[in-house]
Amino acid sequence: SHVIVTSYVFHHGQIDMERLTNLVNLIGKDKLVLDLSCRRKPNDTNPTKPYYVVTDRWQTYTNVEVNEETLQQLSSYCDEFLVHGVENEGKRCGILEDLVILLGKYSPIPVTYAGGVQGMNDLEMVKTLGDGKVDLTIGSALDCFGGDMSYDEVVAWHKKENSG
């Protein structure tokens, strides 16, 4: 099993390397998942604008961009990334396609995207846009959490995709 860590490794708007190193020494790189919850800065809806890691219940922006350099740097300290597309999280309004593309293109380690899934087509989109390298977590869209997506249908899709 793994330990998912979020805001703790970001302090005063930046990566706290001492905290991160201490976590790796305590938990082990192979057991650590870094949660890089991110969003664009207010009024930056242009898809060329960067996503920034946010902390403290997604209210505080860090100066850490989610990009190739950051993903490369942090991959040396963890086994996997969990990336929440904060703007769409829990809203069932569709995934952040540009973020999924970025993760598929630049994450050198396993990465799971969370945020906005509304239907089965989003599973296919993440698979395609993430070049088969991005996993997906689904929450409020599932019928067992009050949504419209059938849990059984999602499991069947996953089994089909992973057979062979």
Side-chain angles (χ1 to χ4, degrees):
S1 68
H2 286 69
V3 176
I4 301 171
V5 177
T6 181
S7 297
Y8 179 76
V9 298
F10 300 95
H11 195 117
H12 299 299
Q14 54 197 345
I15 300 167
D16 187 322
M17 295 308 293
E18 183 177 347
R19 286 183 177 189
L20 182 55
T21 302
N22 287 341
L23 273 175
V24 172
N25 291 336
L26 181 66
I27 298 167
K29 176 189 183 299
D30 62 328
K31 300 282 188 214
L32 183 60
V33 176
L34 287 180
D35 180 337
L36 304 177
S37 295
C38 64
R39 67 186 342 163
R40 288 197 169 99
K41 292 196 174 174
N43 303 318
D44 278 353
T45 57
N46 182 326
T48 63
K49 298 289 186 179
Y51 287 94
Y52 289 88
V53 173
V54 290
T55 61
D56 307 317
R57 296 176 309 279
W58 304 338
Q59 301 303 306
T60 304
Y61 284 88
T62 68
N63 64 0
V64 180
E65 290 185 27
V66 177
N67 57 25
E68 180 179 15
E69 180 183 343
T70 300
L71 294 171
Q72 286 290 335
Q73 176 190 10
L74 292 177
S75 70
S76 300
Y77 298 91
C78 63
D79 192 49
E80 187 174 336
F81 295 121
L82 170 61
V83 179
H84 287 87
V86 171
E87 296 306 323
N88 291 15
E89 180 70 27
K91 296 179 182 175
R92 295 186 263 177
C93 60
I95 61 168
L96 293 170
E97 296 177 17
D98 60 325
L99 182 55
V100 171
I101 291 168
L102 182 150
L103 298 173
K105 187 173 181 180
Y106 295 124
S107 182
I109 59 175
V111 58
T112 299
Y113 170 83
V117 172
Q118 64 180 349
M120 293 301 295
N121 60 320
D122 285 325
L123 280 70
E124 288 293 336
M125 293 216 9
V126 168
K127 177 183 165 190
T128 302
L129 296 174
D131 200 24
K133 300 175 189 172
V134 179
D135 290 324
L136 181 65
T137 184
I138 307 168
S140 61
L142 291 172
D143 56 2
C144 57
F145 297 122
D148 299 324
M149 286 182 74
S150 163
Y151 173 81
D152 292 334
E153 190 177 346
V154 171
V155 170
W157 180 90
H158 179 72
K159 285 181 180 178
K160 182 180 131 242
E161 290 299 314
N162 290 286
S163 65

